[in-house]
Amino acid sequence: MLSSSIKQISRRLQSGEVTASELVENCLARAHQTKDLNAFVTITADLAREQAQQSDERRRQGQPLGPLDGVPVSVKDNFCVRGAPTTCGSRMLAEFRPPYTASVVRRLLRAGACLIGKTNLDEFGMGVGTVDSFFGPTKNVWGSNVKYKLRYKYGEPATDPPVPPRDSDEDFYIPGGSSGGSAVSVASGSSFVALGSDTGGSVRNPAASCGLVGLKPSYGLLSRHGLVPLVHSMDAPGLLARTVADAALVFDLLSAPDALDSTCVAEARTPVALAERCSARGLVVGVPREYHCPGVDSQVLDAWEAAAAELAAGGATVRQVSLPHTQHSIACYSVLNAAEVASNMARYDGVEFGFRSTEHASTEAMYADGRRRALNEVVRGRVLAGNYFLLRRHYDDYMVQAMRVRRLIQRDFELAWRAGCHLLLTPVTLTDGHLHSEFVQRDSRTNTAALDYCTQPANMAGVPAVSLPVRLSSRGLPISLQLMAPPLGERRLLAAARWLERRLAFPRLELV
Ligand code: GLN
């Protein structure tokens, strides 16, 4: 039951086969049983129970209920939830309890969802592995000590998976990041869907590593009120779900104008409302040649080719396209990200927000000591770099240049749409995953930035993108592919993803 889709569980709630309270207890027990994975910073058990009781009461009264009513969900710990800890994975906010709730979370709760907990992340969302949290790393379920089976079709028996190799029992596969806790909470069955945030790939990357569907909507479609900012010009709330239909369903519930976020698209939305039957016929799908990048694994390339062939066999026109500035996206991101991070982090002075040092020699000394103690090396490095880029004497060379290159990257996408492409098909991650031991050994700052190669341009251009698991690698880890669409093109994007999902039939992981 805990690995079913929202649609399936919603039917069971409706038929009375299970109550919301029972479901919440099961998810809390699962979260407890898988505590070693460290998916949660905070488990909001009281809140979840209270919401479940209210949902059961509404159902008893015969009120008309939506599909999310009584369904357990989780939220990345950089979305504010009134009264609950909202740490951003940082010591800086370890004690922070916001006085208000993020708009997207409010919409989830208003739809009747029950909040199981706040999930772990790389500090302030800076990372690709969920290895850099003050609360310790999150472990992937895939290849973990937790026993699981794979089910290819609902109703068919689950089978034993290949066992991804590890040299020691202490080592583990990372879940990707930075929304790794959200991904693991859904993959392990503690929640049916989770909110993440995506600035350079932080929803799609962990979705890919955990065999889930990851949706990064168009820039500005989902409200960011109450999402602690990383990079204002790129941040997008996103979803980690088990099926494309679930992602579409929750996306439709969350997507609405919000007077509290001036960057939120003001027009009313047409719901994605996925049809039962989607088709690939008539689609024009571009395969950008620049995504054949250095370091991309041959198994990922094979999966990519196979999916393109599948689309062609289903009646789509698949053509090679060029997005010539792709290779500059990461360098450009490194500048814009650091600059925005430097200004966004300025609020954590230990006076208004954040950890307060006991250093009293001067105000400056107090700021410096608090920030040194409470921000990790990655965050401090970006603040330093960002302030360097923002210096008057450097501004033209770095900021202005990066903003120009960003326009060129956006134009690459515009030209592809104008040339008739409805969608673009690319890898998400370069490989099928990483062991923690290998990941932390790299020269992390430079090498990990490159891991966003395939996901980051979508944030640069503001286009919607979805990460879809397509097959297992030879060592038994998920391999995923990405589809991208023009801004506000979620409907076609998700319909095509759903079509591919059916054709490629990636298995669902079930704990035993
Ligand atoms: N890996 C990128 C970074 O560290 C993107 C993170 C994100 O999308 N939040 O900034």
Side-chain angles (χ1 to χ4, degrees), residues 429-451:
T429 51
L430 305 183
T431 64
D432 65 347
H434 307 269
L435 276 168
H436 183 259
S437 57
E438 292 162 7
F439 189 82
V440 295
Q441 260 170 26
R442 309 161 151 250
D443 167 17
S444 52
R445 288 314 96 67
T446 42
N447 283 343
T448 58
L451 298 180

Side-chain angles (χ1 to χ4, degrees), residues 76 78 122 124-129 177-179 197-205 230-231 235 333 337 341 378 382 448-449 451-452 455-456 459:
K76 188 177 182 179
N78 58 354
D122 291 298
F124 288 99
M126 298 183 212
V128 280
S178 62
S179 314
S197 62
D198 191 313
T199 307
S202 277
V203 162
R204 288 161 286 160
N205 175 307
L230 176 61
V231 180
D235 293 342
Y333 176 72
N337 173 295
V341 162
V378 177
R382 290 201 199 181
T448 58
L451 298 180
D452 288 330
T455 49
Q456 203 285 314
N459 302 78

Side-chain angles (χ1 to χ4, degrees), residues 4 13 23 54 89 110 112 115 125 168 171 182 213 220 253 281 336 348 350 376 392 415:
S4 59
L13 284 164
L23 197 53
Q54 288 167 4
R110 224 186 297 144
L115 184 68
S168 94
D171 204 1
S182 287
V213 174
L253 283 170
R281 199 161 297 285
L336 297 176
Y348 305 113
N376 75 10
R392 188 180 302 157
L415 292 177

Side-chain angles (χ1 to χ4, degrees), residues 296-311:
V296 61
D297 189 81
S298 64
Q299 293 194 60
V300 174
L301 292 176
D302 287 348
W304 187 16
E305 270 167 33
E310 198 68 48
L311 281 162

